[in-house]
């Protein structure tokens, strides 16, 4: 999504003659990060095309996304080697993390130091600097939070209806790393307390399929409270957002999840975790709540507070919408990125 936004950005394209290249080519979520003959062939075409462009245009700077691990990282190493050979300035926009956890051998250390040497780094949040602190000095770091286009300019927050069951929304792939099991356990806690709520899970199947998810729902006896609605797009997705009261994202692994910005667009209070740059998005106690990862009790407690306090839900949701409009619009993101790239060119 962000790569396409950069490619289509009038602000950036009117300032720079550059391209955004995504080297991670995957057809399904399960293929992501896995090597395949198709991906190798596509990468080689990209590599030779980049070489031709370098020789032909002699660019001043190359801006690219850098992957933290797996085969995609080593493809990036090959591209970086090409750029370094021609002494081209490099700007890496990191949309993932894991560099500090992966570094286990001297070979890992060598490749990370080689890739990061003399490069300028764009992070989505200052909270993510610790992941690359061993390889990049602070002077090479710029912070550029993501932004998304506002598709609901005429949306008005729904009137609080105290009689209906409060609706909770989870929007992500069905992956254990997104906190699916943790949320189901928290829903079980709420149900046992006799709290009236509905929780809709929306997204593609990931490492958990619909069958495994359904089995877990039955195990917790949550069939009357929890539903898996599959993937939703466009108007269907908007309809679910507009009928939702609380947005939940109990992730165990994330950098800067855009779904939180979507929820803030719809003036929804957000409950999430202290993970990655999420604390830059959600102001704990103001636009929603943050809880420790895997803490079922804390998650259930914050959901209970919001379920029982409709006025607080509305107040937090409106504060989130205001924060989105101030910090996370696509226009704000494009202006920040343009200024960072200009500063790199001016060095």
């Amino acid at each position: 999504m962000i790569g396409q936004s950069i490619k289509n950005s009038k602000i950036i394209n009117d300032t720079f003659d550059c391209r955004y290249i995504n080297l991670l080519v995957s057809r399904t979520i399960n293929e992501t990060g896995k090597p395949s003959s198709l991906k190798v062939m596509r990468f080689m075409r990209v590599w030779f095309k980049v070489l031709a462009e370098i020789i032909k245009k002699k660019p001043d700077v190359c801006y690219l996304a850098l992957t933290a691990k797996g085969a995609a990282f080593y493809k990036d190493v090959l591209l970086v080697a090409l750029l370094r050979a021609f002494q081209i300035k490099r700007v890496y926009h990191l949309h993932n993390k894991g560099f500090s956890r992966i570094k286990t051998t001297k070979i890992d250390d060598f490749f990370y130091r080689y890739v990061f040497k003399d490069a300028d780094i764009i992070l989505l949040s200052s909270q993510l600097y610790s992941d690359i602190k061993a390889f990049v000095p602070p002077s090479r770091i710029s912070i550029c939070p993501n932004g998304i286009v506002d598709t609901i300019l005429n949306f008005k927050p729904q009137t609080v209806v105290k009689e209906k069951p409060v609706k909770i929304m989870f929007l992500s792939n069905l992956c254990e790393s997104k906190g699916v099991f943790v949320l189901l356990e928290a829903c079980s806690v709420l149900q046992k307390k006799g709290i009236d709520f509905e929780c809709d899970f929306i997204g593609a199947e990931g490492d958990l399929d619909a069958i495994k998810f359904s089995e877990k729902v039955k195990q917790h006896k949550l069939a009357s409270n929890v539903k898996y609605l599959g993937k939703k797009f466009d108007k269907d997705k908007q309809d679910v957002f507009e009928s939702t009261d609380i947005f939940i994202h109990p992730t165990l692994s994330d950098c800067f999840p855009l779904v939180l910005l979507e929820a803030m667009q719809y003036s929804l209070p957000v409950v999430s975790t202290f993970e990655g740059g999420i604390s830059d998005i959600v102001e704990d106690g103001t636009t929603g709540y943050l809880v420790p990862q895997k803490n079922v009790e804390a998650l259930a407690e914050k959901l209970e507070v919001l379920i029982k306090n409709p006025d607080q839900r509305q107040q937090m949701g409106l504060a989130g919408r205001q924060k989105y409009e101030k910090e996370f619009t696509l226009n704000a993101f494009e202006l920040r990125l343009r200024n960072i790239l200009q500063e790199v060119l001016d060095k």
Side-chain angles (χ1 to χ4, degrees):
M1 181 183 294
I2 292 299
Q4 190 65 32
S5 298
I6 295 170
K7 179 181 177 181
N8 296 334
S9 170
K10 180 174 174 56
I11 293 174
I12 295 174
N13 290 330
D14 285 353
T15 307
F16 308 105
D17 181 17
C18 60
R19 297 176 180 173
Y20 182 91
I21 301 174
N22 184 354
L23 298 180
L24 184 58
V25 181
S26 304
R27 290 166 293 185
T28 68
I29 184 174
N30 293 326
E31 186 190 3
T32 302
K34 296 181 179 180
S36 69
S37 57
L38 174 64
K39 292 167 77 172
V40 171
M41 290 174 60
R42 289 182 179 179
F43 170 73
M44 293 308 299
R45 285 200 295 269
V46 169
W47 195 91
F48 281 109
K49 186 174 181 179
V50 171
L51 175 60
E53 290 291 313
I54 289 174
I55 294 173
K56 180 181 177 180
K57 295 186 176 180
K58 298 180 176 59
D60 296 314
V61 62
C62 181
Y63 164 83
L64 66 150
L66 185 69
T67 311
K69 58 184 178 180
F73 169 72
Y74 291 102
K75 290 191 297 183
D76 290 351
V77 171
L78 293 175
L79 179 60
V80 169
L82 179 63
L83 298 172
R84 287 192 58 176
F86 284 86
Q87 298 182 329
I88 296 172
K89 288 182 178 181
R90 291 158 287 128
V91 180
Y92 304 151
H93 202 160
L94 302 189
H95 297 278
N96 51 48
K97 61 190 178 77
F99 295 96
S100 61
R101 291 200 299 267
I102 298 169
K103 191 191 72 171
T104 56
T105 69
K106 291 183 178 180
I107 294 177
D108 296 325
D109 185 77
F110 170 80
F111 277 116
Y112 283 136
R113 293 187 185 281
Y114 176 81
V115 166
F116 282 115
K117 183 175 174 60
D118 299 326
D120 288 279
I121 312 301
I122 300 175
L123 296 177
L124 304 176
S125 164
S126 59
Q127 306 295 327
L128 300 169
Y129 177 57
S130 60
D131 189 45
I132 59 170
K133 186 177 181 179
F135 312 108
V136 185
S139 59
R140 290 280 183 176
I141 299 295
S142 298
I143 307 300
C144 185
N146 280 336
I148 59 175
V149 63
D150 194 346
T151 58
I152 53 166
L153 294 174
N154 297 319
F155 171 72
K156 295 181 180 179
Q158 59 181 300
T159 303
V160 175
V161 180
K162 298 183 179 180
E163 293 78 13
K164 71 171 185 176
V166 171
K167 182 165 287 190
I168 302 167
M169 178 183 181
F170 171 93
L171 175 61
S172 186
N173 295 316
L174 286 185
C175 298
E176 190 170 355
S177 64
K178 299 302 179 182
V180 170
F181 288 162
V182 178
L183 177 52
L184 287 177
E185 290 183 35
C187 287
S188 180
V189 172
L190 295 175
Q191 185 202 58
K192 290 175 181 176
K193 288 186 174 183
I195 297 173
D196 193 16
F197 71 96
E198 295 176 358
C199 186
D200 292 335
F201 284 73
I202 299 170
E205 295 176 308
D207 53 27
L208 304 173
D209 58 26
I211 295 175
K212 290 181 180 177
F213 179 83
S214 180
E215 290 173 350
K216 204 71 175 180
V217 169
K218 290 179 181 178
Q219 178 183 333
H220 287 293
K221 300 178 180 179
L222 288 168
S224 61
N225 299 93
V226 172
K227 294 182 178 63
Y228 172 53
L229 304 182
K231 294 184 285 186
K232 297 288 183 181
F233 301 100
D234 303 324
K235 184 63 167 58
D236 291 337
K237 181 179 174 182
Q238 180 178 335
D239 289 343
V240 178
F241 263 117
E242 291 183 357
S243 65
T244 295
D245 300 295
I246 303 168
F247 190 85
I248 180 76
H249 191 67
T251 181
L252 313 181
S253 178
D254 255 310
C255 280
F256 201 90
L258 297 181
V259 292
L260 302 186
L261 305 187
E262 289 187 83
M264 291 162 68
Q265 280 188 347
Y266 285 89
S267 300
L268 295 178
V270 174
V271 181
S272 191
T273 58
F274 292 99
E275 165 64 11
I278 291 178
S279 60
D280 285 354
I281 304 174
V282 180
E283 293 184 30
D284 188 28
T286 301
T287 65
Y289 290 115
L290 297 178
V291 300
Q293 295 175 335
K294 298 183 180 181
N295 192 321
V296 174
E297 293 74 19
L299 187 62
E301 177 188 343
K302 297 305 182 185
L303 286 173
E304 181 178 357
V305 169
L306 289 174
I307 290 171
K308 292 182 176 180
N309 295 277
D311 292 336
Q312 183 179 355
R313 292 200 307 268
Q314 191 170 50
Q315 182 180 0
M316 285 184 161
L318 290 173
R321 173 70 196 190
Q322 292 169 0
K323 186 175 178 67
Y324 161 75
E325 292 174 352
K326 182 180 179 181
E327 301 179 28
F328 301 126
T329 63
L330 186 60
N331 186 70
F333 164 74
E334 291 175 355
L335 287 172
R336 284 191 294 260
L337 182 58
R338 183 197 65 182
N339 293 339
I340 290 171
L341 292 175
Q342 189 64 63
E343 289 175 3
V344 171
L345 286 169
D346 291 342
K347 286 183 179 179

